[in-house]
Amino acid sequence: MNKYISVLLICAAILIFCGSAAATVTEQTVIPNNNNVNLTVANDNGARMNNSENDSYSFYPGSGSGGLNALKITDNSTDSNTGKVVFTDSQSGTFYLTYTGGKGYADAGILMVAINGTLPDNFQLKIDASGYQWIPAINGLPPLFADITFNPSTVNETFLKSDFSYGPQTWKPYWSANYPLYEKQNMSDTANTFSIMFIDLYAGLLRSSGYSETLNDLGMIKINYEFLNLPLGSLAAFNGYAYSEYGEVQPGVFWTNRVNTISQSATDTSGYYVTGKGSSPSAEFTATPITGTVPLQVQFNDQSTNNPTSWAWDFNNDGIIDSTAQNPTHTYTQPGTYTIKLTATNQAGSDSLTKIDYITVNAPPVAPPVAAFTGTPSSGNAALQVQFNDQSTNNPTSWAWDFNNDGIIDSTAQNPTHTYTQPGTYTIKLTATNAGGSDSVTRVDYITVTVPAVDTYNRAMVQDAARRVRDFITSRGVLPNWVRMVDNAGVTNFVTMPAFLELSTASLISGANEFKAMNVQAAPRPTGPAIVNRNLYKSGYMDMASRVNTFIRNNGVAPNFARSSLGNIRFQSLVDSFARIVAFEADRGVLPNYVVINTRRVR
């Protein structure tokens, strides 16, 4: 909300020298007169003094006891008697309004801000003021110390471009016309115009020498300012005005700070002037592409506003600057998501922008394996140890081997070994896997395991095998599939039960010390009645041994039973009986007188 001020003295102005372009402000008008004129304050709360009942001040600059001597501007907090002319490029700072006149006080201080050039829409000026407040006395005397109150924040407000109600013009209000806005102003340069606003500081001014008590800030009004986006290359000046309720011709503004034109050299001038640095950058950027596979080269493009002059890029948000180019490229060599930070800087300041997980880098697509393998050897006698070697392509990372195609995984090693203990043909399956998928290969009947070749064994070897067959049956109740025997050549062979039956019967009926094993087939359907704990004497089992051995040698197959005086004895019991007889002879050195036939002993 804007309130009115009548101007008769010189206002406190803020000037920013910015070429000769006129400021553009919404609903802006030139101040209609240099003296005795109502002007609007930019404060949202309007004018503090309301003597005209319309929130306005009456300005009579220079009339009565008013003029240019009493009101000063300084940046020195310890000297309230001397004004200063201060030029600075600091966009924030502190200065003071001080009153040194014989009256000893002014009831209100007013700040005038003038800026040349074109103000950006995002312009801001923050004013934070402090000072003493009191109710003006009708006797026109300075207020008593007991009647004043120090307010640490009389104004705390941010002013915008739209608050500049006056201009474009080259002068500030005063008794004489065409009074300069800033120290050493060239008044003939009519193109260098300014936008103007007035700010009521909501505090009065006290001459500290008039009080025995200590006054905060020596009775001055303290003003803290902060510019945002003040145009680059401009010069700023703050001017002050002072108001009195009683003791003059009438209530109004009577004092302002003294300023020289370019041709004048008066002393005791004062003012505070700020050179604009422009707007700090607003950081922004794009990148192309923002997703892809390793290696991913990304083109980054600066989109920052307000003309940054330097750039700092952090391509992975690790706090390390990776590039200072305006539009750099960067290659990502590792998969992942990357957060990007750009800091853009110019002489007015810096701004940073962070885009979280902005770049996504994917691993290259992985081709699934093509499963392949070899096995060495691929054939041989039981027990056959085979070395399998993975030959799969496309870098599998895991393997699943099934060495007999029964659906059970036998190994997960890449290059395993496996021992086949049973004769037969074996189908092998390998499944190879990586991140791209899996592939399986099955090699049907790839491994062939045979019965060992016919070999020669001595009597002791046969007897040792008989003991182990006997013990196996005793503990398990079934025939073993084979018995391991080392032949005369030192080769380990796996002898099947039909072949063992031939060897055991041969060792009983022959006086020889060596026996050549045969490749004997199993009995097709072992049959025979149940015979429980019946003794078959020596003559009977020797006769049966001869007949069984002859049958095997003549037919190449074990009999499914053999006749005896006790009845037909099936194949399983024949193996069990002759294993016990040969083992007995090995243990005792003589053949047993009889052997107990129990067909239930072995299944």
Side-chain angles (χ1 to χ4, degrees):
M1 175 174 73
N2 292 329
K3 303 298 182 182
Y4 286 101
I5 303 175
S6 294
V7 180
L8 286 160
L9 246 153
I10 302 181
C11 303
I14 303 176
L15 304 167
I16 303 176
F17 194 95
C18 190
S20 58
T24 302
V25 182
T26 304
E27 299 180 358
Q28 194 176 56
T29 59
V30 175
I31 296 174
N33 193 9
N34 63 289
N35 193 6
N36 193 12
V37 61
N38 289 332
L39 299 175
T40 304
V41 294
N43 306 67
D44 288 340
N45 292 327
R48 178 169 173 260
M49 301 296 179
N50 193 21
N51 60 295
S52 299
E53 297 182 356
N54 61 354
D55 288 324
S56 68
Y57 293 96
S58 298
F59 272 65
Y60 307 98
S63 66
S65 62
L68 301 172
N69 296 322
L71 186 65
K72 298 175 175 60
I73 296 176
T74 181
D75 66 348
N76 189 345
S77 64
T78 63
D79 182 2
S80 61
N81 296 315
T82 307
K84 289 181 66 177
V85 174
V86 178
F87 286 86
T88 179
D89 64 357
S90 176
Q91 303 302 287
S92 62
T94 302
F95 62 92
Y96 302 83
L97 289 187
T98 181
Y99 184 85
T100 62
K103 182 179 175 65
Y105 76 99
D107 292 310
I110 300 166
L111 189 65
M112 176 182 174
V113 182
I115 301 175
N116 66 349
T118 300
L119 294 179
D121 291 338
N122 59 352
F123 167 85
Q124 293 182 13
L125 169 60
K126 182 178 180 181
I127 295 294
D128 182 10
S130 62
Y132 284 95
Q133 295 173 330
W134 59 88
I135 297 174
I138 60 175
N139 58 14
L141 297 176
L144 298 176
F145 184 77
D147 295 330
I148 62 176
T149 301
F150 181 76
N151 188 334
S153 183
T154 60
V155 175
N156 188 351
E157 189 171 340
T158 298
F159 299 90
L160 309 176
K161 172 183 177 180
S162 58
D163 290 315
F164 286 81
S165 300
Y166 298 104
Q169 61 191 75
T170 61
W171 50 269
K172 74 174 185 175
Y174 182 58
W175 185 264
S176 61
N178 206 33
Y179 199 83
L181 288 164
Y182 62 93
E183 181 70 7
K184 295 296 183 178
Q185 181 179 351
N186 182 1
M187 302 306 294
S188 63
D189 184 3
T190 58
N192 185 22
T193 57
F194 294 78
S195 297
I196 297 173
M197 70 174 168
F198 296 92
I199 300 171
D200 191 338
L201 297 174
Y202 295 164
L205 294 155
L206 299 171
R207 191 178 66 197
S208 61
S209 62
Y211 295 86
S212 61
E213 298 86 356
T214 300
L215 299 180
N216 291 336
D217 297 320
L218 301 177
M220 300 184 288
I221 299 177
K222 181 180 180 180
I223 303 165
N224 298 312
Y225 73 91
E226 182 179 359
F227 282 109
L228 180 64
N229 302 320
L230 188 62
L232 176 66
S234 61
L235 176 66
F238 289 94
N239 291 301
Y241 288 90
Y243 167 90
S244 179
E245 183 80 8
Y246 299 104
E248 302 299 331
V249 178
Q250 57 185 321
V253 175
F254 293 92
W255 301 273
T256 188
N257 55 300
R258 187 188 307 277
V259 182
N260 280 319
T261 67
I262 193 172
S263 61
Q264 294 173 329
S265 58
T267 59
D268 200 24
T269 58
S270 65
Y272 195 92
Y273 311 104
V274 179
T275 301
K277 289 185 176 180
S279 302
S280 60
S282 178
E284 182 56 84
F285 65 88
T286 60
T288 305
I290 61 172
T291 185
T293 57
V294 170
L296 181 65
Q297 186 180 71
V298 179
Q299 173 68 57
F300 291 93
N301 295 293
D302 171 50
Q303 301 289 318
S304 305
T305 57
N306 298 330
N307 303 310
T309 55
S310 66
W311 301 264
W313 295 86
D314 184 351
F315 295 131
N316 53 6
N317 202 33
D318 62 356
I320 298 173
I321 302 305
D322 300 304
S323 177
T324 57
Q326 181 177 6
N327 300 303
T329 60
H330 182 72
T331 300
Y332 292 92
T333 59
Q334 296 296 322
T337 55
Y338 293 88
T339 294
I340 315 303
K341 180 178 180 181
L342 167 63
T343 300
T345 303
N346 64 15
Q347 63 180 12
S350 297
D351 184 49
S352 294
L353 174 65
T354 301
K355 294 190 177 184
I356 298 174
D357 295 340
Y358 185 55
I359 303 296
T360 300
V361 183
N362 300 312
V366 177
V370 177
F373 67 89
T374 60
T376 305
S378 61
S379 63
N381 294 330
L384 180 65
Q385 186 180 71
V386 180
Q387 172 67 58
F388 291 95
N389 294 294
D390 171 51
Q391 301 291 316
S392 305
T393 58
N394 296 334
N395 302 309
T397 56
S398 65
W399 301 263
W401 296 86
D402 183 352
F403 294 132
N404 53 5
N405 202 32
D406 61 358
I408 298 173
I409 301 304
D410 300 304
S411 177
T412 57
Q414 181 178 8
N415 300 301
T417 59
H418 184 71
T419 299
Y420 291 92
T421 59
Q422 296 295 319
T425 55
Y426 294 88
T427 294
I428 316 302
K429 181 179 179 181
L430 167 63
T431 300
T433 303
N434 65 13
S438 298
D439 185 49
S440 296
V441 60
T442 300
R443 304 190 74 169
V444 179
D445 295 341
Y446 184 59
I447 301 297
T448 300
V449 182
T450 56
V451 176
V454 177
D455 297 295
T456 301
Y457 303 94
N458 60 34
R459 183 176 295 276
M461 295 174 184
V462 175
Q463 291 175 342
D464 177 67
R467 290 190 186 99
R468 287 184 281 116
V469 172
R470 174 198 63 189
D471 294 343
F472 186 94
I473 294 171
T474 300
S475 64
R476 307 285 182 90
V478 295
L479 293 181
N481 292 320
W482 42 262
V483 60
R484 185 183 291 108
M485 298 180 67
V486 180
D487 62 20
N488 289 334
V491 177
T492 298
N493 296 293
F494 295 84
V495 178
T496 63
M497 290 301 99
F500 170 74
L501 181 60
E502 190 279 326
L503 286 173
S504 61
T505 54
S507 71
L508 292 176
I509 65 175
S510 173
N513 189 49
E514 290 188 351
F515 307 95
K516 190 166 186 175
M518 293 181 58
N519 189 0
V520 183
Q521 301 300 313
R525 289 183 301 278
T527 59
I531 302 174
V532 181
N533 295 333
R534 300 283 301 278
N535 295 336
L536 182 62
Y537 289 92
K538 181 179 180 179
S539 60
Y541 69 66
M542 289 297 292
D543 174 65
M544 188 171 60
S546 177
R547 287 184 286 107
V548 167
N549 189 266
T550 299
F551 182 89
I552 292 173
R553 289 192 171 274
N554 289 339
N555 298 285
V557 62
N560 54 15
F561 68 90
R563 294 185 181 88
S564 72
S565 60
L566 304 178
N568 294 340
I569 301 174
R570 63 176 181 264
F571 170 75
Q572 293 94 325
S573 294
L574 290 175
V575 174
D576 174 43
S577 298
F578 286 116
R580 287 186 284 123
I581 292 170
V582 174
F584 186 95
E585 182 184 24
D587 294 338
R588 307 289 182 87
V590 296
L591 290 172
N593 291 326
Y594 61 88
V595 61
V596 178
I597 305 299
N598 185 355
T599 57
R600 294 178 179 175
R601 173 180 154 82
V602 58
R603 297 186 299 276

